[in-house]
Amino acid sequence: MFPTHDEIDLWYEKGQSLIWHPFTQMKEWEDEKPTIIVSGEGATLCDIEGNRYLDATSSIWVNIHGHRHKSINQAMKKQLDRIAHSTLLGLTNLPAIELAEQLIQIAPKGDVKHKESGEAEKLTKVFYSDNGSTAVEIALKIAFSYWQHLGGEYKRKKKFVSFSNAYHGDTIGSVSVGGIDLFHAAYGPLLFDTINISSPTCYRCPIGLNYPSCKLACVDEAEKVLKKHHRRLAGLIIEPLIQAAAGMLCAPPGYLRKIRALCTKYEILMIVDEVATGFGRTGKMFASEHEGLVPDLMAISKGLTGGYLPLAATLTRQKIYDAFLGDYAEFKTFFHGHSYTGNPLGCAAAIANLKVFKKEKTLEKLKEKIIYVKKSLMSWRRWKHVGDIRQVGLMIAIELVADKKTKLSYPLEMRVGGAVCQEAKSRGVLLRPLGNVIAIVPPLSITLDELEKIITVVGAAIRKVTAKK
Ligand code: PMP
């Protein structure tokens, strides 16, 4: 039954006044009628007035197989009939065990064999939490403590390497390793210091070179930093292949793998933040697989439950886990945990998510969609205000610029990206801008017809807005 006009007006009033929304200027929010989502199916969201929108952000990069997927719904209902939550402090539960086993199975295996055993390197332990930021915090704390537990000279290894333009979440630890001034600079006095490396982005190369003639000079720059500081470095944290929140900034092919080799060479733990890139977004289950590497620690969340429930995990290698073992009185215990750690309902959703990947051959079917997008956007490169188009799998970004030749950005205050998204919304496609970058991150289950609609709408919106500005 649809609500009456009076009921809808009341929801609008409450929707404007009660909730403080993330990354939102609330003064503006209070002045506008909010879009109130009431249901979803597949890649479509439906609002309280019955308007339908294509969810071209996957509800902020979380949804994988579409909304209200039958198998995931069923798995969750089945789990609800057993238990919704019990703690992992002193207890364990079936979905958490089963999911851990599967995550270890699908984690990046790499193509480098262990020196002594000859076995492929792998991640063998799973530490659960609730969101991407906590998965990152946990990785940082584990990396820090690891060297402290090893003792001796290693106790000096207390610092982290982070990248400019990085985004790893909004808690204080994850902001400390972040590098987006607009979001992070205000909290400077609260943050711990890191050693910075320039973002390995090609469109505006920080060292002014061009790929491939640069011969990955950015790796040499990184090595200088690691060589100088390695005795003090506990870990390096990186978004693999693509710095997502900064505007889908792409690293050159080979960069990630070379950074892996440098981390090994200089005894620095490599933390790969696969929160945005994990679960098929880049065309493979994890972005690390594109370059055949195994990180020392890997943070995952977002797509883990198919976009159904908040759940996260930090995966690590055996040698790191082993460093925390000892008699209780040695106090090597990893003193960290959240109330909902290993939540059975979330884990049941995640298991169902992985099952759908297999059953629906999600990754195989993705290839056609990735190529379709690539081809469809090709001609946009010639458009006057399209500076760059970046795509890794189904993570797609169109960067709009005021001047194509000089790559001059539109001033952020002009909110060109916001205007394009507003225009697209009026045509039935929901997007969220990253500054002047229009990001398209649809559910992996999106159909070619739906992709065609998204591309047509975004193209029309870009043309309309940039013609005016
Ligand atoms: N890491 C990356 C790479 C992300 O993109 C995000 C979220 N966009 C996070 C961490 C933080 O995740 P969450 O919002 O779930 O805390």
Side-chain angles (χ1 to χ4, degrees):
M1 232 199 29
F2 284 105
T4 63
H5 285 301
D6 285 349
E7 283 168 339
I8 291 175
D9 284 344
L10 199 55
W11 282 118
Y12 281 139
E13 216 179 289
K14 290 179 184 175
Q16 274 169 301
S17 60
L18 297 174
I19 300 172
W20 191 342
H21 284 259
F23 287 90
T24 303
Q25 177 42 260
M26 293 306 293
K27 185 167 169 285
E28 288 174 1
W29 180 274
E30 286 175 13
D31 289 341
E32 277 170 29
K33 217 165 77 170
T35 301
I36 303 177
I37 298 299
V38 289
S39 64
E41 183 151 32
T44 299
L45 293 173
C46 194
D47 76 11
I48 197 163
E49 293 190 46
N51 298 310
R52 293 161 68 81
Y53 309 90
L54 279 173
D55 184 4
T57 72
S58 310
S59 298
I60 297 301
W61 317 344
V62 298
N63 193 281
I64 301 286
H65 304 296
H67 297 280
R68 217 142 48 86
H69 191 287
K70 231 184 184 168
S71 313
I72 304 178
N73 279 14
Q74 266 172 4
M76 286 173 60
K77 283 177 189 162
K78 205 166 145 196
Q79 181 58 38
L80 258 185
D81 284 338
R82 292 189 176 142
I83 189 167
H85 183 66
S86 60
T87 180
L88 277 203
L89 274 68
L91 299 172
T92 189
N93 67 71
L94 291 178
I97 298 170
E98 188 179 338
L99 177 61
E101 185 178 30
Q102 293 192 20
L103 289 176
I104 289 163
Q105 267 167 17
I106 63 166
K109 295 286 177 298
D111 47 23
V112 179
K113 300 260 193 297
H114 190 270
K115 262 190 255 147
E116 282 118 49
S117 68
E119 276 180 28
E121 307 268 3
K122 56 183 180 195
L123 299 163
T124 61
K125 297 287 169 188
V126 176
F127 195 100
Y128 287 115
S129 60
D130 333 310
N131 61 71
S133 308
T134 54
V136 165
E137 295 274 344
I138 287 160
L140 296 171
K141 284 171 84 175
I142 290 178
F144 175 85
S145 300
Y146 170 71
W147 299 110
Q148 297 307 302
H149 293 331
L150 287 196
E153 271 294 292
Y154 288 130
K155 280 199 160 208
R156 290 173 64 198
K157 288 170 115 19
K158 291 180 179 171
K159 289 219 168 287
F160 287 92
V161 174
S162 62
F163 287 81
S164 51
N165 290 324
Y167 180 84
H168 298 288
D170 292 329
T171 54
I172 292 298
S174 54
V175 169
S176 295
V177 290
I180 301 181
D181 280 351
L182 178 66
F183 305 158
H184 301 148
Y187 303 103
L190 300 179
L191 309 178
F192 59 75
D193 271 347
T194 64
I195 309 281
N196 189 261
I197 291 184
S198 307
S199 160
T201 173
C202 292
Y203 179 55
R204 289 192 179 83
C205 173
I207 43 181
L209 300 174
N210 290 308
Y211 178 82
S213 59
C214 64
K215 300 207 173 80
L216 296 192
C218 48
V219 175
D220 303 333
E221 291 292 303
E223 176 155 22
K224 275 185 211 152
V225 176
L226 302 186
K227 193 172 176 185
K228 181 169 173 203
H229 297 286
H230 71 99
R231 284 183 196 84
R232 298 194 294 139
L233 292 178
L236 169 149
I237 180 159
I238 188 165
E239 289 165 86
L241 303 190
I242 185 163
Q243 291 183 305
M248 306 287 170
L249 305 179
C250 292
Y255 183 83
L256 190 66
R257 191 176 167 88
K258 285 186 187 289
I259 293 294
R260 165 72 273 182
L262 290 177
C263 285
T264 305
K265 179 173 170 188
Y266 291 107
E267 291 194 298
I268 299 161
L269 296 182
M270 185 187 199
I271 303 168
V272 166
D273 177 352
E274 292 257 14
V275 169
T277 48
F279 301 95
R281 278 296 163 214
T282 66
K284 291 191 187 278
M285 194 52 111
F286 297 103
S288 301
E289 292 172 41
H290 289 278
E291 304 218 348
L293 64 99
V294 183
D296 295 301
L297 292 133
M298 178 170 87
I300 53 176
S301 186
K302 286 195 187 277
L304 172 57
T305 58
Y308 272 63
L309 283 174
L311 183 72
T314 308
L315 275 69
T316 185
R317 294 197 190 202
Q318 190 66 33
K319 69 165 186 189
I320 295 174
Y321 169 86
D322 286 346
F324 288 73
L325 302 179
D327 290 336
Y328 183 77
E330 291 177 72
F331 300 117
K332 286 180 171 176
T333 303
F334 184 42
F335 291 108
H336 187 113
H338 301 279
S339 310
Y340 285 100
T341 291
N343 171 257
L345 196 55
C347 291
I351 294 165
N353 171 42
L354 294 180
K355 223 178 249 173
V356 178
F357 263 101
K358 274 194 197 146
K359 197 169 156 216
E360 298 187 358
K361 299 190 171 41
T362 307
L363 292 179
E364 284 103 291
K365 286 187 196 155
L366 214 52
K367 289 177 191 141
E368 186 188 17
K369 302 175 195 180
I370 294 168
I371 293 169
Y372 176 78
V373 172
K374 202 158 264 171
K375 280 191 180 152
S376 308
L377 299 186
M378 209 98 84
S379 62
W380 293 21
R381 288 188 181 276
R382 291 196 293 273
W383 294 5
K384 192 171 166 204
H385 292 286
V386 171
D388 195 23
I389 295 177
R390 299 181 282 271
Q391 184 187 353
V392 182
L394 276 192
M395 299 179 86
I396 302 142
I398 300 120
E399 176 158 350
L400 304 176
V401 287
D403 185 328
K404 198 168 171 130
K405 251 200 199 128
T406 59
K407 302 183 183 177
L408 180 73
S409 300
Y410 286 108
L412 275 186
E413 308 82 87
M414 274 177 80
R415 302 170 85 180
V416 171
V420 171
C421 296
Q422 205 53 43
E423 181 62 34
K425 186 178 177 189
S426 73
R427 299 167 187 238
V429 171
L430 282 180
L431 296 162
R432 177 108 188 150
L434 301 166
N436 292 320
V437 174
I438 310 303
I440 306 174
V441 186
L444 305 188
S445 59
I446 193 110
T447 64
L448 288 179
D449 284 347
E450 287 166 335
L451 273 176
E452 186 188 2
K453 169 158 185 195
I454 291 172
I455 289 168
T456 308
V457 164
V458 173
I462 288 175
R463 269 197 291 245
K464 182 164 174 192
V465 169
T466 54
K468 266 197 236 160
K469 299 279 173 189

